[in-house]
Each structure stands twice: as C-alpha cells, then as structure tokens.
Amino acid sequence: MKKRILVACGAGIATSTVVCNRVEKLVKDNNVDAEVIQCKIAEVKAKQKGADLIISTTILPTTYEIPAIIATSYITGIAMESLDKKILDALK
Amino acid sequence: MSIEQFLNDDLIKLNLSCKDQNDLFEVMYKEAFSKGMVDELFLTKIKERESVFPTGLNLNKFSVAIPHTDPQYVKEQFIAVVTLENPVKFHLMDDASQETDVSVIFMLGLNQPHQQIETLQQLMAIMQDTSNIEKLLAATNSEEVHSIFKQIEASV
C-alpha cells in the first residue's frame, strides 16, 4: 500500500523544502511506494489521519497518533545515513 | 538564482556586538526595514517564530542559527550573514529544552518557498563544511563573505 509521509517545519518555508527533496529521493532510491507531502507543523495534527509518518525539522509541539521523526540531521549533515535508515525502518 | 545574489552588503555584519538574541534581531530588522526589504511586522514575527520553533543548529565544531519567518513579511529576498563578537544563546531546532552558543547567523528572508530548494541546499553545503564557518568567523569584510558563497555555487 502506498505510504503517506508528512514533512513539516515551523514556518513551512525554509527547512522542510530541503528535507522534502531528500525524503523523496530516499524513498525512490529504495523502491518504497510513498507520497511525500510538505506542510507546516501546525497542520500536521489535522493531516495525520491517513498518513503513516511525520518527518519534522523542528520540535514537535504536541504528540501524534502516528510515528514522528525529527530530521535536523539533513540540515546539519551530521548522521544523515542513520536518519535515512530510521525513516526507512519506520516505513516497513 | 545563485545563492550569492541573496547577499546584500548592508545585511552582512561581521564581528557584531550584541547582548542577546533580541538585540541581534532588532539590529538586523532595522537594517532590512530601512532598505524596504521587510515589512514592519517582521521583527515581531521572527521573534515569535524563534520562541516557538527555535533555529539553533549544532554543527560539528560550531553552532549556527537560521532564524526566519513566514514569507509574507519579506518584501525583497535576502540572506543576512552575521558573525558575532561574543556568541549569543539560541535554543536548538530539534530540542527546545537545550541552548547553544551561536557565533554565526544566517537570517533567511525568503518568500518563494517552492522555488528555493537549490539556494537552501547551497546554504546547507556552506554550513556543513567547518572550514567555511571558520572562514566566515575570520572574515573582516563583505567581499570575503561573497567569495565563500561564490565558491559554493561553483562546487554544488
């Protein structure tokens, strides 16, 4: 079944764009059938229904019903590979 | 559009003396507002954004921050580059309960969220290379900042 991934950042402007691109490439390279949706963290609560995973570049202001991963590594470049693995594992 | 074109000499401040984060935001806002690059709500909004969703990032050796706010408060796009005489505290982007001492700030005035992926990737390439941060900290004039940004453009 197609997975839905929400990629969120605080203002929906800067950081999520980069992470979105990275996650799209990650799922494609690993043959995961997934749709990547960019949004603001404030919209996640309403959008989580029907989604499988939240990937956020910022702190999570609340708790969610689906798994959430913080992806600051994609911005700093530190430990990017282990983050790749964490995301892929969460989609299994 | 190359990342270097987002630099504006009035928004490059080297070895700036600031007492705290708000002081820094105020100095940069005044400069950007006087050039007509942001609207009058920008200062309030960037402070709000930073308090709810902080932007401090721990890199390998240094910490940087990338404060920004929603696109509607930015009239003309820019990337402001600030190095500080003495670091100021920022909360971490991935853990607001922690603080870090930041000496290099890239304030992002961007208003085309879906057209700037290349620019942001170039900025991240700059941040991810410790030698660039060292060069920025050592820079004494805006020409040196331009050359760091130019060199990234050539390599990404």
Side-chain angles (χ1 to χ4, degrees):
Chain A
M1 214 177 95
K2 198 181 186 94
K3 302 277 187 182
R4 298 188 82 179
I5 307 168
L6 301 176
V7 174
C9 80
I13 152 193
T15 52
S16 62
T17 316
V18 175
V19 174
C20 224
N21 223 38
R22 173 94 192 186
V23 173
E24 271 169 0
K25 191 175 179 301
L26 177 73
V27 293
K28 195 167 165 257
D29 290 351
N30 289 277
N31 299 313
V32 178
D33 186 19
E35 183 187 1
V36 180
I37 302 156
Q38 188 175 9
C39 62
K40 290 189 186 189
I41 191 79
E43 300 167 341
V44 169
K45 193 108 191 160
K47 289 189 173 174
Q48 63 180 326
K49 205 172 158 50
D52 300 280
L53 179 65
I54 298 160
I55 299 175
S56 169
T57 53
T58 187
I59 46 163
L60 304 165
T62 179
T63 51
Y64 301 97
E65 291 155 24
I66 59 174
I69 293 174
I70 295 181
T72 323
S73 289
Y74 288 153
I75 297 164
T76 59
I78 299 164
M80 287 202 287
E81 286 72 22
S82 67
L83 179 59
D84 283 348
K85 190 176 176 303
K86 205 170 157 187
I87 290 171
L88 291 171
D89 286 347
L91 290 168
K92 271 177 191 157
Chain B
M1 194 163 168
S2 76
I3 190 165
E4 197 229 339
Q5 289 171 272
F6 288 91
L7 295 178
N8 177 314
D9 287 356
D10 294 320
L11 298 175
I12 295 175
K13 302 280 179 204
L14 301 172
N15 212 21
L16 186 71
S17 170
C18 285
K19 66 176 195 302
D20 57 25
Q21 200 187 88
N22 280 342
D23 190 21
L24 165 75
F25 288 162
E26 274 154 37
V27 170
M28 297 312 287
Y29 162 75
K30 271 183 200 155
E31 198 69 64
F33 185 73
S34 73
K35 304 290 178 305
M37 301 178 84
V38 296
D39 80 8
E40 68 281 356
L41 281 173
F42 183 84
L43 179 61
T44 315
K45 292 294 171 184
I46 204 158
K47 284 184 185 174
E48 260 177 37
R49 170 62 164 69
E50 193 66 38
S51 67
V52 183
F53 299 114
T55 64
L57 290 166
N58 260 339
L59 304 178
N60 280 319
K61 196 168 161 193
F62 302 101
S63 290
V64 303
I66 51 166
H68 55 276
T69 186
D70 291 293
Q72 64 263 39
Y73 310 110
V74 176
K75 292 183 181 169
E76 201 183 314
Q77 301 199 94
F78 62 87
I79 295 176
V81 179
V82 183
T83 62
L84 294 175
E85 187 185 6
N86 297 304
V88 298
K89 297 222 180 281
F90 272 75
H91 288 275
L92 288 182
M93 197 155 162
D94 54 355
D95 184 356
S97 69
Q98 286 188 53
E99 283 186 323
T100 187
D101 287 326
V102 169
S103 303
V104 180
I105 294 104
F106 303 96
M107 186 186 267
L108 311 179
L110 301 172
N111 60 16
Q112 303 287 324
H114 301 289
Q115 293 162 31
Q116 60 206 11
I117 176 86
E118 205 179 315
T119 307
L120 289 166
Q121 281 170 338
Q122 288 174 352
L123 179 65
M124 278 150 209
I126 292 173
M127 297 190 320
Q128 288 172 12
D129 184 340
T130 306
S131 71
N132 287 325
I133 303 294
E134 280 168 346
K135 278 186 223 158
L136 281 174
L137 284 168
T140 54
N141 60 62
S142 56
E143 269 316 298
E144 293 171 58
V145 178
H146 279 272
S147 76
I148 295 163
F149 275 63
K150 258 186 208 156
Q151 164 219 322
I152 283 294
E153 199 180 314
S155 67
V156 170

